[in-house]
Amino acid sequence: MNLRRIFLFPARVWMALFFAAPLAIVCGYSFLTRGEYGGVEQPWTFENFTRLADPLYLAILWRSVRIAALATGLCVALGFPLALFIARAGKRRNLYLQLVLLPFWTSFLVRTYAWLFILRDTGLVNTVLQSLHIIDAPLQLLYNEGAVLAGLVYNFLPFFVLPMYATLERLDPALLEAAADLGARPLATLRRVIIPVSMPGIVAGAVLVFIPCLGAYLTPDLLGGGKTVMLGNLVQNQFTTARDWPFGSAASLVLMLASALLLAGLMRSRVRKELM
Amino acid sequence: MHVLELRNVVKEFPGQRAVDGVTLALERGGFYSLLGPSGCGKTTTLRMVGGFEKPSSGDVFLNGERVNERKPYERNVSTVFQSYALFPHLTALGNVEFGLRERGVAGRRERAMNALELVKLSARAQRFPAALSGGEKQRVALARSLVLEPQLLLLDEPLAALDPDLRKQMRAELKAMQRQTGITFLLVTHDQEEALSLSDKLAVMNSGRIEQFGTPEDVYLRPASAFVAGFLGAVNWFGDAGVRPEATRIARERPAEGPSRRASVASVVFLGNRVHVHMALDEGGRAVAELPRAQDQFREGDAVWLHWNAADEMRFP
Amino acid sequence: MKRHALGIYAACILAFLHAPLAILILFSFNAGRFTIWEGFSTRWYTAALNDPQLTEGLLNSLIIAGVAAVLSTLIGTLAAYGMWRRNAPWLSGMLYLSLVTPEVVTGVSLLALCQWAFRFLHLRLGMHTVIVAHVAFSIAYVTIVVAARLRNYDRSLEEAAMDLGAGEWRAFTRVTLPSIAPAVAAAGLLALVVSFDDYVITSLVAGVDSETLPMVIYAMARRGVSPVVNAVSSLIVVAFGALILLSERLQER
């Protein structure tokens, strides 16, 4: 028997049993009915999906897409100049890359908690503003969309910066020289050469930020309190507190499909090589 | 019995036939070369002998045994890779001992040291590949293969990565090593000078086929095809007759006998011990003659007669 | 002029990335309970180390992350080698998918699997289910790191080993594995960090006896900010930073 096939066997089994099979079960559950005591029962139904169209859940869906899109936009706006700066930093580019990556690799939970620490009523921002007598009562900085947005941008900015940097780093300097030679000033070069040429990298980075933001759970949970419910929180809530597994499964399926389609789109497009 | 025999071997890759029916038989103890331009199938042929590729059709025989299905480690041949492929985590000595250990040979330390001695590298035995020069890596790779005393040693462009001076020196050492060990060498190269100077016999390959297999004199002086003639050296074409530049002579007057053409000197290139005289033929076309420096001085624009011995003509059907 | 503007902008963003963690670490040494500096003290670290919940969580986390890292490194390394220069479209598709699937979806689907399977097996949620889940999401990370190394690995090394008489298994263990060992170690460290850090999936498949450190921290954070959490968080930041730097060093070799 072929050695390579033997080597692939454990991963195939593990991924099939503990990744694919659970997803298949969730797929199946999403077409079943909620049992009296929280389990799942026949008959088969589409009701779980039609329920997602209720105004209440549509609002959650819309909020998730809106927050994810805003976070993506902010990541592009913050990350593109940073990536451009690093790509042009010469010998120190590795140092700057490390600086971007290091906080990214420290615990996701701790990073989110740090924002809780800064934004809460007795947190750093409020304490400083109060001690400077700019405000009297603490501002409500936490448990709103703004806090969630800040947390998401903070957590996922490196997802954009890395592919963007890889693209900009490969950009042929001769293109910029040619643009200058043809009379383009720096800003015109940016607008008419750098951005169009690096568009695949921008798209790749944006999708890589959008996918985890859309499915975010921990950030809205900690920084949004109960108020800023996103799709991920809906799923978790249906499986734990509400114990409506079929409905939670339907919401999971929607989230899963959206993520998978975005990934598939990314893999099929020209943009793919930006990731490899 | 032939140490290696290829019978109508074909190798197809998706969308391409890399080797297209190669038949070849090598006598024991000789130095052989596969010569050809890049992409002619010579490396693929070598990899099928080494066991790294399986022929799509045809057969490979080692010592009369059909070995198509045998894995590399089941064949008594060894390869010196173009990149040397030295194991970076083992010392020079460790690399040379590797194969002995796999074969469970006794006294491997001593045999490995002898092999390093043979390639004049015993002083570097404890060095890791990263601390060796290109030429030294080359020698370790050779020692690593030779120590196993294979029936056949395969060398894939072994000198290509060396600088020109070292290449000339290693060329002489390779030849000496082959004579000393008596192992059959099969060398793959695109350098015709290398193949001509080293080989007892060489096979010239073109687009997956062997165009000619013969001694260096055979292939150089009596090429079997226009391709072989052109690949091994420059050729002046006079109709369907080809003449090497060094067999081409120049005279001020029309020679009394033998074939000749009228021409005018286009340029003279000084090459130290010889000169190349480039000419435009009156009948159209160009030719070059290689002459000793001492001869009559020709100048640009001189009208000359170009002539040669009919015996030096190369003709192809 | 423009270069300057870009540099200042970049510096601001880098500050944005580092300030929250720096502030957290700074105030973990604050003698007072609030965000007003009252002097240097390590009392919160002492308190953290003496908190039975935290130490038990840490122990659980270490066991889970250790076992999961070893298993996923083994499985992932073999898989990366199996996929090297060869196509395994289903497996690689599943691995990519596992990377982009929202954690909460992975978590609830594993929970669903457990509930379904436990009807036939006499098992309960616990440390074993957490380990199974962690291995499932760590394999992709390991495979990516090892596969990246294999892409730069000279295949003729392995061919040379076989040429010298080593069988496929010996060629793998004696030549390929030593060559890619630093990348395998790096992948293992990465798996350790990813597993140790996970909260979302863990919280869904953990049993009562398998509270991990992130779960304890999460519960404390929900209850309100405690300086003890700052201390633990700072320790995690430093430990993770060291492990990741080590992992990157290993990958460069």
Side-chain angles (χ1 to χ4, degrees):
Chain A
M1 175 121 161
N2 187 319
L3 189 69
R4 286 176 192 250
R5 200 159 278 183
I6 299 172
F7 278 15
L8 288 175
F9 186 71
R12 282 190 163 134
V13 169
W14 205 284
M15 293 309 281
L17 280 182
F18 305 119
F19 179 71
L23 287 179
I25 290 174
V26 163
C27 277
Y29 280 6
S30 68
F31 295 103
L32 283 165
T33 312
R34 179 191 180 186
E36 221 165 309
Y37 303 105
V40 290
E41 284 178 3
Q42 305 248 357
W44 300 91
T45 173
F46 274 106
E47 205 207 323
N48 299 310
F49 291 97
T50 48
R51 242 176 98 195
L52 278 172
D54 278 5
L56 174 65
Y57 301 120
L58 268 186
I60 294 177
L61 218 74
W62 168 235
R63 181 185 297 129
S64 301
V65 173
R66 185 162 41 95
I67 291 181
L70 274 173
T72 307
L74 278 171
C75 281
V76 174
L78 294 177
F80 187 89
L82 180 59
L84 189 64
F85 173 78
I86 297 175
R88 293 176 170 189
K91 278 183 192 165
R92 302 174 102 180
R93 57 174 62 162
N94 274 334
L95 173 73
Y96 291 131
L97 272 182
Q98 288 289 347
L99 282 177
V100 173
L101 273 175
L102 209 54
F104 168 64
W105 280 120
T106 58
S107 162
F108 190 93
L109 178 63
V110 169
R111 273 184 295 157
T112 310
Y113 169 77
W115 280 90
L116 197 70
F117 175 74
I118 291 171
L119 294 179
R120 74 199 158 114
D121 284 0
T122 56
L124 188 76
V125 176
N126 275 319
T127 312
V128 169
L129 290 180
Q130 272 175 308
S131 61
L132 294 174
H133 298 292
I134 295 172
I135 52 170
D136 298 326
L139 294 173
Q140 177 63 26
L141 298 171
L142 213 51
Y143 308 133
N144 54 42
E145 284 192 15
V148 175
L149 208 52
L152 288 176
V153 170
Y154 181 67
N155 278 324
F156 295 115
L157 184 57
F159 278 50
F160 180 81
V161 175
L162 285 188
M164 195 68 249
Y165 161 78
T167 307
L168 289 173
E169 198 248 320
R170 278 200 299 265
L171 194 74
D172 184 359
L175 283 180
L176 308 185
E177 288 166 5
D181 179 75
L182 297 171
R185 290 173 180 285
L187 272 180
T189 305
L190 180 70
R191 191 168 51 82
R192 293 184 52 202
V193 180
I194 301 179
I195 292 180
V197 172
S198 58
M199 198 42 104
I202 299 178
V203 173
V207 173
L208 285 183
V209 171
F210 188 80
I211 291 177
C213 283
L214 189 65
Y217 164 74
L218 193 61
T219 315
D221 183 61
L222 275 176
L223 301 178
K227 291 182 195 159
T228 314
V229 177
M230 287 175 69
L231 259 177
N233 309 86
L234 177 68
V235 169
Q236 195 266 357
N237 188 38
Q238 294 303 316
F239 269 84
T240 54
T241 327
R243 295 199 69 73
D244 189 342
W245 287 29
F247 183 55
S249 298
S252 297
L253 206 60
V254 169
L255 196 49
M256 175 76 217
L257 279 178
S259 309
L261 286 178
L262 282 169
L263 174 75
L266 202 57
M267 289 305 208
R268 278 180 167 265
S269 68
R270 247 170 2 105
V271 168
R272 178 181 176 158
K273 65 174 193 302
E274 307 297 331
L275 299 175
M276 298 300 160
Chain B
M1 194 184 302
H2 293 115
V3 61
L4 169 70
E5 193 182 346
L6 301 176
R7 273 192 211 154
N8 205 15
V9 170
V10 172
K11 179 65 189 182
E12 278 173 327
F13 292 116
Q16 163 200 10
R17 187 174 266 232
V19 175
D20 189 11
V22 161
T23 298
L24 182 71
L26 305 187
E27 304 288 343
R28 187 175 307 280
F31 198 128
Y32 298 93
S33 298
L34 287 176
L35 172 68
S38 64
C40 73
K42 57 192 192 299
T43 295
T44 307
T45 305
L46 196 78
R47 288 174 64 80
M48 284 191 284
V49 178
F52 307 113
E53 307 281 356
K54 247 188 232 171
S56 308
S57 68
D59 293 309
V60 180
F61 293 89
L62 287 171
N63 264 337
E65 264 184 282
R66 187 173 170 278
V67 295
N68 287 28
E69 315 298 330
R70 294 242 190 112
K71 300 274 185 188
Y73 43 87
E74 296 165 334
R75 302 179 182 212
N76 192 12
V77 300
S78 192
T79 305
V80 175
F81 291 82
Q82 184 170 8
S83 65
Y84 313 139
L86 296 185
F87 307 129
H89 62 296
L90 300 176
T91 59
L93 185 64
N95 267 279
V96 179
E97 275 185 77
F98 187 97
L100 296 171
R101 179 165 306 188
E102 290 304 325
R103 282 170 170 70
V105 173
R108 19 174 205 270
R109 175 62 47 97
E110 200 188 326
R111 292 181 58 170
M113 281 309 293
N114 287 342
L116 282 173
E117 191 96 18
L118 179 74
V119 297
K120 302 179 191 119
L121 216 64
S122 7
R124 298 272 191 277
Q126 297 306 332
R127 293 252 185 126
F128 284 93
L132 296 173
S133 71
E136 290 168 342
K137 284 183 194 161
Q138 160 87 75
R139 287 158 196 267
V140 175
L142 262 171
R144 184 172 75 173
S145 289
L146 287 174
V147 76
L148 300 175
E149 295 166 8
Q151 306 169 354
L152 177 61
L153 185 73
L154 307 174
L155 302 112
D156 185 7
E157 303 260 10
L159 307 177
L162 303 178
D163 55 51
D165 280 346
L166 198 55
R167 200 179 304 167
K168 288 233 168 73
Q169 184 196 337
M170 277 310 290
R171 207 188 273 173
E173 289 189 23
L174 268 185
K175 182 88 179 179
M177 245 176 257
Q178 195 273 325
R179 290 291 183 254
Q180 196 178 338
T181 57
I183 292 170
T184 316
F185 277 33
L186 177 58
L187 172 95
V188 155
T189 181
H190 65 269
D191 181 335
Q192 68 273 22
E193 203 182 309
E194 196 171 298
L196 288 172
S197 63
L198 280 171
S199 316
D200 296 319
K201 279 177 107 178
L202 62 147
V204 184
M205 284 189 75
N206 183 30
S207 33
R209 293 166 180 278
I210 291 182
E211 299 244 341
Q212 188 174 8
F213 180 50
T215 63
E217 292 78 18
D218 275 341
V219 293
Y220 188 79
L221 299 174
R222 291 173 288 283
S225 66
F227 172 81
V228 174
F231 193 73
L232 284 161
V235 182
N236 297 319
W237 292 105
F238 304 107
D240 55 0
V243 180
R244 295 272 183 220
E246 66 271 21
T248 307
R249 313 253 176 278
I250 309 179
R252 302 265 181 208
E253 305 297 327
R254 178 170 195 166
E257 53 185 30
S260 61
R261 295 286 191 281
R262 272 184 71 89
S264 62
V265 174
S267 65
V268 180
V269 180
F270 179 70
L271 292 168
N273 56 347
R274 63 223 140 88
V275 289
H276 276 180
V277 182
H278 293 265
M279 287 158 290
L281 300 178
D282 285 10
E283 64 186 35
R286 310 182 69 81
V288 58
E290 183 173 308
L291 308 171
R293 175 161 41 84
Q295 265 200 346
D296 190 9
Q297 297 293 303
F298 293 96
R299 308 237 171 267
E300 245 178 83
D302 286 0
V304 292
W305 282 90
L306 202 159
H307 62 105
W308 62 91
N309 286 333
D312 288 332
E313 276 179 15
M314 305 182 284
R315 285 182 177 275
F316 310 103
Chain C
M1 176 60 215
K2 203 205 127 217
R3 280 211 64 95
H4 254 86
L6 188 62
I8 293 166
Y9 195 87
C12 290
I13 296 165
L14 285 175
F16 164 72
L17 284 173
H18 287 265
L21 292 175
I23 291 167
L24 190 67
I25 294 175
L26 179 71
F27 277 96
S28 72
F29 290 107
N30 186 9
R33 175 169 280 276
F34 300 101
T35 8
I36 298 159
W37 189 253
E38 293 175 24
F40 181 87
S41 154
T42 53
R43 62 185 275 219
W44 304 118
Y45 287 87
T46 320
L49 293 175
N50 289 320
D51 184 317
Q53 257 192 309
L54 282 172
T55 45
E56 197 200 321
L58 175 65
L59 187 67
N60 284 338
S61 279
L62 286 177
I63 295 171
I64 289 167
V67 175
V70 169
L71 280 176
S72 57
T73 305
L74 190 71
I75 296 173
T77 302
L78 293 182
Y81 182 74
M83 288 193 285
W84 180 43
R85 305 173 63 94
R86 193 103 15 139
N87 276 335
W90 279 99
L91 181 57
S92 63
M94 266 200 289
L95 291 173
Y96 273 118
L97 202 57
S98 78
L99 279 180
V100 292
T101 303
E103 278 186 292
V104 67
V105 173
T106 311
V108 297
S109 64
L110 276 161
L111 179 64
L113 174 82
C114 292
Q115 293 285 358
W116 179 78
F118 291 172
R119 285 190 288 181
F120 314 107
L121 308 166
H122 290 286
L123 284 171
R124 293 200 329 217
L125 292 176
M127 222 180 262
H128 48 278
T129 48
V130 178
I131 290 173
V132 162
H134 282 205
V135 172
F137 69 71
S138 303
I139 291 176
Y141 290 93
V142 174
T143 309
I144 282 177
V145 171
V146 178
R149 171 68 186 91
L150 281 171
R151 268 201 289 278
N152 299 322
Y153 172 66
D154 181 5
R155 187 176 175 219
S156 55
L157 285 179
E158 194 163 78
E159 290 179 345
M162 290 200 224
D163 181 82
L164 298 169
E168 280 172 68
W169 170 250
R170 299 270 293 158
F172 175 68
T173 53
R174 285 200 57 202
V175 173
T176 307
L177 207 50
S179 297
I180 64 170
V184 173
L189 288 179
L190 185 61
L192 191 75
V193 166
V194 168
S195 164
F196 192 94
D197 185 34
D198 181 74
Y199 165 75
V200 180
I201 296 171
T202 314
S203 68
L204 285 161
V205 296
V208 279
D209 62 334
S210 50
E211 277 222 315
T212 61
L213 190 58
M215 289 171 74
V216 179
I217 294 176
Y218 174 87
M220 287 179 157
R222 282 307 311 251
R223 258 183 267 133
V225 173
S226 146
V228 175
V229 179
N230 299 356
V232 178
S233 300
S234 305
L235 288 176
I236 292 179
V237 168
V238 172
F240 276 25
L243 284 179
I244 291 299
L245 279 180
L246 181 62
S247 165
E248 286 180 354
R249 279 283 141 75
L250 287 168
Q251 284 185 64
E252 280 161 16
R253 280 180 50 179

